[in-house]
Amino acid sequence: MRIYIIGNDGITLCREAPATVNDGEIAVTSNEELHAAPLSGKRVLALWNALPGVEKRRKIGDREVLIDQLWSAIEALPEPEPPSDAKRPSKQDAVIAMLRRPEGATVD
């Protein structure tokens, strides 16, 4: 499930529900929750204009339509790359891995 955290610095995608949401942040998982969120029209417009590749707006227009377009745009954003926990193997790790192979290792 995609969970979006709307904060002062924009919109962040989370893969899992956060344990807590900071003051001023709002967590939404659906278009309906975004419509129900306590966001001013000015804030919705700022979120829209902060998205990459969208045509910038000066006026809100119909707030409901803008929220629908905002939801469609954030749903279309690519998944962020998961943080890599893998460290680069050391030379010692490589030697140990070779020694553990069924055929073992030889020294020329």
Side-chain angles (χ1 to χ4, degrees):
M1 174 191 311
R2 297 177 108 186
I3 301 168
Y4 299 97
I5 307 295
I6 300 172
N8 293 332
D9 57 345
I11 301 172
T12 306
L13 172 63
C14 296
R15 296 176 190 275
E16 299 175 3
T20 60
V21 179
N22 298 329
D23 288 337
E25 291 183 337
I26 301 166
V28 296
T29 60
S30 67
N31 191 10
E32 292 77 25
E33 288 181 9
L34 186 59
H35 276 280
L39 296 169
S40 68
K42 187 176 181 180
R43 180 80 176 117
V44 173
L45 182 63
L47 290 169
W48 172 262
N49 286 333
L51 290 172
V54 298
E55 186 177 329
K56 306 299 181 204
R57 297 179 176 202
R58 293 177 161 272
K59 295 183 180 182
I60 297 167
D62 185 359
R63 184 179 188 277
E64 301 301 314
V65 171
L66 180 56
I67 289 176
D68 287 336
Q69 292 172 343
L70 176 64
W71 180 256
S72 295
I74 61 175
E75 279 285 288
L77 291 174
E79 291 279 333
E81 292 296 320
S84 176
D85 292 337
K87 64 176 187 171
R88 188 172 147 223
S90 66
K91 290 179 184 178
Q92 181 180 3
D93 291 336
V95 170
I96 291 172
M98 285 188 278
L99 291 172
R100 287 185 177 156
R101 295 186 303 190
E103 64 273 10
T106 59
V107 178
D108 288 334

